[in-house]
Amino acid sequence: MFKTIGIKDVPNCTVPREEHIKRTNSQKKSSDNFLQSVKDLSGNYSIFNDLDCGAKLPDTVPFASNPKWADLPFGATNTCRNASCGALQSAVVINYFNSIASPSSKIFFELTPSVSSIIDTLVENGYRSWKLENKPGTMSTPAATLDAIQERFPDDEEVQTCTSLDEVFQKFGSPSGVGTNFFWLDNVIKLFSLEDKLEIGKDTRITSVGKLFQNLARGIVVPIRVENSVYLGNPNLKGGHYVTWFAVKDGNAVIVDTAMEKNCGIYTIPVSQVLEAITSGPGMSVVWNVEPAVSVLSTLTINQFFS
């Protein structure tokens, strides 16, 4: 009896140091290449004015404010209401996968997971990063415990001599959220692509504006990370946010945003603004390529699965 493949099968975030370095370098290279691609446009965004293409918008959007999970903790710090956009973005992407999947894919893959199961897997598998407010060093344990903190800083005598969490917090500050690890969605894409050789941070990323619009023209969604200050047009709104680019119409990007309940989850802004929002953070231009998963899910047959 076969077991369906689903979100529960996303691997743990922790990988050997060599693989971590490789992924980090791939992330930087992909980011730099996409930034250069935007610079090469020289501000000429009028070329997108006549475009009208993209994926069909979803019937429902999982909002961060949903009382089912809004006030639940999102890892060691903060709540799902304020910090779970990475998990909710992946819920949007998996829902899209379900919409394009072949009948056979729906037999072999679990394409309708609950949002709660996505949140739980992300947190439990170490993709929710956090740190102590006044101490350098990122952690990813699901909860802030004395054992976890002391294990993270084995050579720090001041940490090792603490006898309680309260003492740690008094000395180094409370837990502060760093964000959802970029490689969470890379691993989701790889899982649904059935391709072990897919390189995280390389084969799961888009590195040019041309490829981004090529995917949209084929009806393939493009998950992205944006800087809030540019994306929302307010310099006082700091930090990043994970959303999914579904379409382009008359020079505007049509975005599915799980924080935009007042707009039914749909946010429309100029293409120029969203490209700037992607590339505003230094080394933080993250544009995912879900095509490897789409290629498999949209065409998979029973014979192919067992071959």
Side-chain angles (χ1 to χ4, degrees):
M1 183 68 179
F2 68 86
K3 185 175 69 171
T4 57
I5 298 168
I7 200 70
K8 63 187 181 298
D9 298 306
V10 172
N12 194 280
C13 183
T14 303
V15 294
R17 177 174 173 78
E18 182 180 347
E19 176 63 18
H20 175 71
I21 292 172
K22 181 179 179 181
R23 292 181 180 187
T24 301
N25 289 339
S26 293
Q27 151 65 29
K28 184 181 185 305
K29 185 174 181 180
S30 296
S31 175
D32 291 346
N33 287 345
F34 190 84
L35 174 60
Q36 185 59 52
S37 177
V38 173
K39 288 181 177 179
D40 289 343
L41 292 174
S42 302
N44 181 22
Y45 299 108
S46 62
I47 58 177
F48 307 119
N49 288 349
D50 296 327
L51 290 182
D52 184 359
C53 59
K56 180 182 177 182
L57 292 172
D59 292 331
T60 59
V61 175
F63 295 115
S65 58
N66 190 314
K68 286 184 178 181
W69 52 76
D71 297 321
L72 295 177
F74 189 59
T77 180
N78 220 321
T79 64
C80 290
R81 183 191 304 274
N82 298 320
S84 63
C85 60
L88 299 182
Q89 178 197 53
S90 57
V92 170
V93 170
I94 294 171
N95 180 60
Y96 163 76
F97 286 163
N98 186 54
S99 74
I100 58 88
S102 69
S104 294
S105 291
K106 294 183 180 183
I107 296 173
F108 300 117
F109 290 92
E110 172 49 65
L111 295 171
T112 56
S114 68
V115 172
S116 296
S117 68
I118 294 173
I119 292 171
D120 289 346
T121 302
L122 186 155
V123 171
E124 291 297 323
N125 286 13
Y127 291 92
R128 166 60 169 158
S129 303
W130 59 280
K131 66 182 290 295
L132 294 172
E133 192 173 17
N134 301 319
K135 185 173 183 59
T138 301
M139 286 166 273
S140 60
T141 55
T145 66
L146 180 60
D147 286 346
I149 294 169
Q150 290 181 329
E151 184 178 345
R152 174 65 178 81
F153 301 102
D155 301 321
D156 190 313
E157 185 176 351
E158 194 172 9
V159 172
Q160 294 300 317
T161 56
C162 289
T163 58
S164 69
L165 267 183
D166 286 342
E167 187 178 356
V168 170
F169 296 162
Q170 287 171 4
K171 290 182 177 181
F172 304 108
S174 300
S176 174
V178 175
T180 295
N181 190 298
F182 292 161
F183 300 131
W184 160 253
L185 192 56
D186 294 273
N187 276 287
V188 171
I189 294 167
K190 182 172 182 175
L191 175 71
F192 287 104
S193 75
L194 291 179
E195 180 50 77
D196 288 339
K197 294 182 180 179
L198 213 65
E199 290 190 31
I200 297 294
K202 178 183 177 183
D203 300 328
T204 51
R205 299 292 176 87
I206 287 174
T207 59
S208 71
V209 175
K211 175 60 177 175
L212 188 160
F213 282 93
Q214 181 185 80
N215 276 20
L216 290 174
R218 294 175 57 199
I220 300 174
V221 302
V222 180
I224 56 176
R225 180 196 178 276
V226 292
E227 286 290 325
N228 280 321
S229 57
V230 178
Y231 175 69
L232 298 173
N234 185 340
N236 296 318
L237 297 175
K238 305 299 183 181
H241 184 45
Y242 295 110
V243 297
T244 308
W245 193 339
F246 264 70
V248 59
K249 185 176 179 63
D250 300 328
N252 290 313
V254 183
I255 308 290
V256 171
D257 186 337
T258 58
M260 290 278 183
E261 188 170 9
K262 65 180 180 180
N263 295 339
C264 298
I266 309 303
Y267 185 46
T268 301
I269 57 174
V271 166
S272 57
Q273 185 175 344
V274 72
L275 289 177
E276 184 182 350
I278 293 170
T279 56
S280 289
M284 303 283 274
S285 302
V286 185
V287 184
W288 284 278
N289 183 17
V290 304
E291 183 182 10
V294 170
S295 295
V296 169
L297 292 170
S298 62
T299 62
L300 187 67
T301 66
I302 291 177
N303 290 337
Q304 287 173 321
F305 186 84
F306 288 109
S307 64

